[in-house]
Amino acid sequence: MADKSVFDTSPASEPPRDPLRPAEEVMRLERMGAAHPMRISFMRTLIRRMAREGWRIARRRFDIGADETGEAVYSINTPAGPYSFVVFATEIEPENRTDRVIAEQWDYTFTLIEGEPTAGEMAHLRVQVPKQENARMSAQHLVLSRGNKSGRLFGHVVEALAAGRQPNLEHVAAVGYLMRTTAVYGNGKFGLADYARLADTAFPQPFCAQMLTVYMARLFSLDLVEHLAALRSPQGAVRLTRVMRRGFGVGNATGLGMAAFLIGHPRVIHTWALARETALARVKADAQPENEKVARFHALLDRAAAHVEEWRTGDTRQQDRIARLKRDLLDLRETVQGAFTELYPWRRLSETAETRFDLETQEMLNSLMIEVYPERVDELEDS
């Protein structure tokens, strides 16, 4: 991380905090790769804002036939104005369904735009959005993206719902998503709105518009399987239960662009790391946590341990790390039992974790600690 005076966006009157972890420790690839989502991660921040401000999402059109082709339009009403998520579904041959960047066909292409599209705007989008990298967009258009359905899970879910039953939970757990994105473009590419312009929209924070696009892609995938099942069996089809819907995420087929981004934007990466490290330092400075916070931490630790049990990956190295994380979390649950009898327990827990546990466990612990202090950390989402 750079010197604090170079690029510091922390509040002038800051709550008490411990010293920040040294850059030599934080900015190592191994530790960065072991980081877990936290309260001020981009998607978490967006979801909180959507709930706090009462955003309203509605399906305006869902003109997709049994052949799985057609169009869909969602409206997104925010305090900053209305936006629309527009989807074009096409039929492609299995051999053309690839997640590689050289692909020229996708199951679904979509865009996030300002306002509601007119008939003329829809005609323009109908031509341009499916072109993706060859598209010609405008400043009214915020994000351009595309995705493919899961070959392992999509058909199974449609068939199960059409037959009047919920999909097999093991199948869902093994894959985890119905659609995976293969690119999410923004910030001026192909004529899209420049990043600076987003300051005057509902998406002033980094990746906010892109994260909403991914959120909408997930929502569309869930609506789509229910819709197709109902077309196949109008009388017998059922919808996904609320619990089952929550079990689906959204896949991401590539993150290759982030490597170049990390190298090319060191000051931006600095501010992201500084926000997290500041949050962690503020938490560790609490000398005697309230009983409610301790109870919340224990509940979150139990949830995290249960969640990790559901993680699946085909990557042998990462699967080994997950296995180690599972063992460490069991040990950590024992360790924390007596951790709150002395002052500054979070600091002590962090120090203990650094000597006893793997990087994945250390960073999981940090995320859980941050989670129980919204009043100390949430303001950092704007820095």
Side-chain angles (χ1 to χ4, degrees):
M1 292 180 289
D3 181 86
K4 190 171 172 61
S5 62
V6 174
F7 203 65
D8 184 18
T9 55
S10 58
S13 56
E14 189 178 352
R17 64 171 173 82
D18 272 19
L20 299 178
R21 292 190 294 179
E24 294 77 12
E25 176 184 347
V26 173
M27 304 304 288
R28 295 297 180 199
L29 289 178
E30 294 82 2
R31 184 172 293 278
M32 293 173 72
H36 294 278
M38 56 173 178
R39 283 197 67 87
I40 55 174
S41 294
F42 297 127
M43 183 59 91
R44 292 287 307 284
T45 296
L46 171 64
I47 295 297
R48 256 196 325 274
R49 259 190 68 210
M50 293 169 68
R52 183 174 63 246
E53 297 178 356
W55 291 21
R56 291 291 178 264
I57 299 172
R59 280 181 7 188
R60 289 185 53 228
R61 286 178 50 200
F62 211 86
D63 300 331
I64 296 179
D67 62 354
E68 302 187 27
T69 67
E71 304 170 1
V73 179
Y74 290 78
S75 62
I76 306 158
N77 289 309
T78 79
Y83 297 84
S84 296
F85 179 72
V86 183
V87 184
F88 299 98
T90 58
E91 183 180 18
I92 64 176
E93 297 298 327
E95 60 269 20
N96 293 328
R97 186 175 295 112
T98 175
D99 296 331
R100 297 183 64 191
V101 72
I102 60 172
E104 296 181 350
Q105 298 180 53
W106 306 269
D107 291 316
Y108 316 105
T109 55
F110 27 86
T111 184
L112 179 68
I113 70 171
E114 287 185 307
E116 299 180 358
T118 63
E121 179 69 10
M122 281 298 297
H124 172 77
L125 296 176
R126 200 171 287 124
V127 172
Q128 295 299 328
V129 173
K131 293 181 180 179
Q132 292 293 295
E133 283 92 343
N134 293 318
R136 292 296 175 263
M137 310 301 285
S138 73
Q140 178 192 353
H141 310 137
L142 309 183
V143 178
L144 182 69
S145 185
R146 72 280 186 113
N148 288 326
K149 60 187 175 184
S150 168
R152 293 180 290 167
L153 191 59
F154 190 94
H156 165 73
V157 174
V158 173
E159 290 172 7
L161 296 179
R165 65 177 187 275
Q166 294 299 302
N168 182 285
L169 191 57
E170 285 298 315
H171 290 354
V172 174
V175 180
Y177 59 84
L178 295 165
M179 180 195 300
R180 59 190 178 276
T181 59
T182 66
V184 185
Y185 296 120
N187 301 342
K189 274 198 164 187
F190 320 123
L192 295 164
D194 288 330
Y195 175 69
R197 185 175 176 278
L198 297 181
D200 298 323
T201 70
F203 314 106
Q205 294 165 329
F207 291 114
C208 190
Q210 290 94 325
M211 291 295 98
L212 180 64
T213 300
V214 174
Y215 177 93
M216 294 302 301
R218 173 187 175 274
L219 176 60
F220 167 73
S221 72
L222 294 168
D223 287 349
L224 181 60
V225 290
E226 293 181 341
H227 174 75
L228 294 175
L231 290 179
R232 292 189 188 185
S233 179
Q235 304 303 320
V238 297
R239 301 178 65 179
L240 291 164
T241 64
R242 179 178 176 82
V243 171
M244 185 64 76
R245 283 177 74 98
R246 293 185 67 184
F248 289 96
V250 61
N252 178 43
T254 175
L256 198 57
M258 285 304 297
F261 189 92
L262 285 165
I263 294 170
H265 297 77
R267 298 179 77 185
V268 174
I269 303 305
H270 161 70
T271 61
W272 295 351
L274 179 62
R276 183 191 64 181
E277 293 304 306
T278 301
L280 180 61
R282 289 181 180 181
V283 170
K284 290 195 290 188
D286 188 356
Q288 196 166 17
E290 300 169 355
N291 291 337
E292 292 80 3
K293 292 194 178 298
V294 175
R296 174 67 172 155
F297 173 77
H298 281 293
L300 288 171
L301 181 55
D302 288 343
R303 276 180 59 182
H307 186 41
V308 170
E309 289 293 333
E310 300 174 352
W311 289 4
R312 305 285 187 276
T313 178
D315 184 271
T316 303
R317 182 172 60 173
Q318 186 60 31
Q319 191 59 54
D320 289 342
R321 290 175 176 170
I322 293 173
R324 172 68 184 273
L325 176 59
K326 291 178 182 178
R327 295 192 298 269
D328 279 358
L329 287 177
L330 291 175
D331 193 356
L332 180 60
R333 290 160 90 179
E334 295 295 325
T335 302
V336 300
Q337 294 304 319
F340 300 97
T341 57
E342 300 182 38
L343 296 178
Y344 298 102
W346 305 120
R347 183 189 300 168
R348 294 166 59 85
L349 270 175
S350 182
E351 292 170 352
T352 299
E354 289 176 3
T355 60
R356 289 182 55 182
F357 300 128
D358 189 63
L359 288 177
E360 296 263 359
T361 312
Q362 294 175 33
E363 295 305 326
M364 174 73 82
L365 172 63
N366 290 336
S367 289
L368 295 177
M369 287 161 48
I370 290 171
E371 186 67 29
V372 298
Y373 283 88
E375 74 282 1
R376 294 194 180 202
V377 307
D378 283 2
E379 67 171 347
L380 294 167
E381 67 189 23
D382 290 320
S383 66

